[in-house]
Amino acid sequence: MASDEPASEQEVLIVTGMSGAGRSSVANALEDLDWYVVDNLPPQMLKPLVDLAERAEGTEKLAVVVDVRGRDFFSDLRSMLQGLREGTHLRVLFLDAADDALVRRFEAVRRPHPLQGDGTILDGIRLERARVAAIRELSDLIIDTTDLNVHQLGSSVRDLFKSDATPGVQVTVMSFGFKYGIPTDADMIADARFLPNPFWVPELRMHTGLDSEVDSYVFTQPGAEEFLTAYASALTPVLAGYQRENKRHAVVAVGCTGGKHRSVAMAERLTTMLQDQPDVVVNVKHRDLGRE
């Protein structure tokens, strides 16, 4: 029988974003992590559901999928979220992907986009982007699923929420190549292209920033050490602010031309430096390593 008192501190996660970006996969991953998941709920029902879950056992972690399948109801999501933030441990997870990836996914399952009507899949995607733009701005977490398969997306969700009860912020330091595009899920971006490119050094070209030869070359260049030290120092108040604002995850991206040498070496060093900060859990990801 449900108790009249809240079982424990209630956590509420709103899962939203673009159709075809992986909401179902995220919902499944959250259920595996013992979240109570409700799919396709009208925003107007969020407050009654949260009130009910606060008084039930086994629903301390509540995830609600809300998206444009709610039709005209979806237009009220922004105001509903703003009303819920007071007195509720609420976060919004927004799933996004590039237009061409979304088109391929809809074509693969041979289903229409929920908003395409008599138009094309791309017409539906563009209309949806316009409708969800304000929600994306309010989101606490954004996952770009363009290059993720179902298993990789599940791993990302587990990395984000498996130690959710632990205070602090989880930081992913990501190296990338500008020629492959800026990561859309990055919270902060640093540019390492001010340093000489090891690609033009014949004996270093086939190495990567994970190799000591490249690391030594990069950090003996004028300004490299100074930049790294200053950047890590600048991130300290930012990450402290994230913790105060209950933002549990941050992506710090470091880019160079191809994502093979300078950005990789810089990301590895930055990860080591950030690990010394209190209440910060850091991991490193090299997005474009091996693409050239």
Side-chain angles (χ1 to χ4, degrees), residues 210-249:
L210 297 175
D211 297 319
S212 59
E213 300 93 332
V214 174
D215 177 84
S216 297
Y217 176 86
V218 169
F219 285 99
T220 54
Q221 302 304 316
E225 289 280 3
E226 292 86 345
F227 172 80
L228 180 64
T229 301
Y231 191 56
S233 178
L235 288 174
T236 299
V238 175
L239 298 179
Y242 276 17
Q243 294 181 53
R244 289 192 300 270
E245 295 300 316
N246 202 32
K247 183 174 174 64
R248 298 291 187 91
H249 187 265

Side-chain angles (χ1 to χ4, degrees), residues 173-184:
V173 179
M174 178 191 299
S175 70
F176 72 96
F178 277 96
K179 73 178 185 179
Y180 299 115
I182 295 174
T184 60

Side-chain angles (χ1 to χ4, degrees), residues 51-66:
D51 291 341
L52 179 64
E54 285 178 344
R55 289 166 172 76
E57 295 180 2
T59 57
E60 293 83 9
K61 297 190 294 183
L62 173 65
V64 185
V65 181
V66 184

Side-chain angles (χ1 to χ4, degrees), residues 28-281:
N28 292 336
L30 289 169
E31 284 188 341
D32 292 342
L33 293 172
D34 204 29
W35 285 70
Y36 184 82
V37 180
V38 179
D39 189 19
N40 197 17
L41 189 77
Q44 294 81 355
M45 297 298 296
L46 281 172
K47 186 62 167 64
L49 177 63
V50 170
D51 291 341
L52 179 64
E54 285 178 344
R55 289 166 172 76
E57 295 180 2
T59 57
E60 293 83 9
K61 297 190 294 183
L62 173 65
V64 185
V65 181
V66 184
D67 51 67
V68 294
R69 290 175 297 167
R71 303 183 182 181
D72 290 342
F73 293 125
F74 183 76
S75 60
D76 290 335
L77 179 57
R78 182 184 176 95
S79 60
M80 294 295 105
L81 292 178
Q82 290 172 332
L84 273 177
R85 284 197 184 274
E86 286 191 27
T88 303
H89 182 186
L90 175 72
R91 285 173 291 167
V92 180
L93 170 61
F94 190 98
L95 300 174
D96 204 349
D99 287 359
D100 58 345
L102 295 175
V103 170
R104 287 195 301 271
R105 292 171 189 175
F106 277 105
E107 289 178 340
V109 297
R110 299 183 179 180
R111 296 192 64 188
H113 187 282
L115 297 182
Q116 77 179 72
D118 295 331
T120 66
I121 293 174
L122 192 56
D123 291 333
I125 291 171
R126 289 169 176 166
L127 179 57
E128 184 176 23
R129 284 209 185 278
R131 291 192 181 182
V132 303
I135 303 302
R136 194 182 196 279
E137 292 179 1
L138 288 176
S139 299
D140 303 289
L141 301 166
I142 297 175
I143 298 180
D144 182 359
T145 69
T146 301
D147 298 318
L148 301 181
N149 60 34
V150 172
H151 304 293
Q152 291 169 329
L153 177 56
S155 296
S156 296
V157 172
R158 286 190 292 273
D159 288 342
L160 283 169
F161 297 105
K162 64 182 178 182
S163 57
D164 209 47
T166 303
V169 58
Q170 299 176 50
V171 179
T172 298
V173 179
M174 178 191 299
S175 70
F176 72 96
F178 277 96
K179 73 178 185 179
Y180 299 115
I182 295 174
T184 60
D185 51 350
D187 296 291
M188 292 154 282
I189 294 176
D191 189 349
R193 291 176 297 180
F194 72 95
L195 298 169
N197 192 347
F199 179 85
W200 301 113
V201 180
E203 58 269 27
L204 297 179
R205 180 171 299 177
M206 300 306 296
H207 290 278
T208 75
L210 297 175
D211 297 319
S212 59
E213 300 93 332
V214 174
D215 177 84
S216 297
Y217 176 86
V218 169
F219 285 99
T220 54
Q221 302 304 316
E225 289 280 3
E226 292 86 345
F227 172 80
L228 180 64
T229 301
Y231 191 56
S233 178
L235 288 174
T236 299
V238 175
L239 298 179
Y242 276 17
Q243 294 181 53
R244 289 192 300 270
E245 295 300 316
N246 202 32
K247 183 174 174 64
R248 298 291 187 91
H249 187 265
V251 178
V252 179
V254 183
C256 63
T257 303
K260 179 179 180 180
H261 296 107
R262 293 165 291 181
S263 63
V264 173
M266 190 71 70
E268 287 287 328
R269 291 273 194 114
L270 182 60
T271 298
T272 300
M273 296 181 73
L274 292 180
Q275 286 172 343
D276 294 332
Q277 296 197 17
D279 297 321
V280 173
V281 178

